[in-house]
Amino acid sequence: DGYVDIYALDASGRHVLVELKRVTATREAALQLYKYVEAYKKERGETPRGILVAPSFAPTALETLAKLKLEYRYVDLKRLWELLKKKSSRRTSLQEFLKK
């Protein structure tokens, strides 16, 4: 059920499934990622890396990720917003963008 947020390859060529959360990641988020990893493994016969990305993690999420051998990364949403604002100082309409 559902789809992983990002499907990618890492620098070593290994498949990576990334689940993104805008709020504190819970145990349920870790289990959701695990479900995607297991479905991928069953379908493709190989185990991808699974990474949960969020601004914070509940202790139960961290415990579950460790038990399931999944990775996690913190994202600082305030810093990300500041970077996005810097890069978009000159705004372009969609029509202008498509002309390029």
Side-chain angles (χ1 to χ4, degrees):
D1 296 331
Y3 299 93
V4 70
D5 293 322
I6 298 173
Y7 171 72
L9 293 174
D10 66 13
S12 302
R14 188 171 172 200
H15 295 263
V16 182
L17 306 181
V18 181
E19 183 63 25
L20 306 171
K21 298 298 176 191
R22 294 178 302 193
V23 296
T24 300
T26 62
R27 179 178 184 273
E28 288 72 24
L31 293 173
Q32 178 185 10
L33 176 60
Y34 181 70
K35 182 175 68 172
Y36 295 147
V37 168
E38 287 300 302
Y40 184 94
K41 187 171 25 174
K42 183 178 178 182
E43 186 176 314
R44 306 271 175 112
E46 64 179 90
T47 303
R49 290 174 60 196
I51 305 173
L52 183 58
V53 177
S56 61
F57 293 83
T60 55
L62 295 174
E63 292 168 9
T64 303
L65 290 164
K67 286 179 186 174
L68 299 174
K69 295 182 173 62
L70 297 172
E71 302 172 48
Y72 65 93
R73 300 290 186 277
Y74 289 94
V75 63
D76 183 339
L77 295 176
K78 185 176 178 181
R79 184 167 179 261
L80 183 60
W81 176 247
E82 291 301 320
L83 287 171
L84 286 171
K85 284 193 328 190
K86 263 188 200 178
K87 290 189 179 213
S88 64
S89 58
R90 183 188 176 282
R91 296 189 180 209
T92 314
S93 72
L94 180 59
Q95 290 170 334
E96 288 176 74
F97 179 77
L98 292 175
K99 288 180 188 177
K100 294 180 182 182

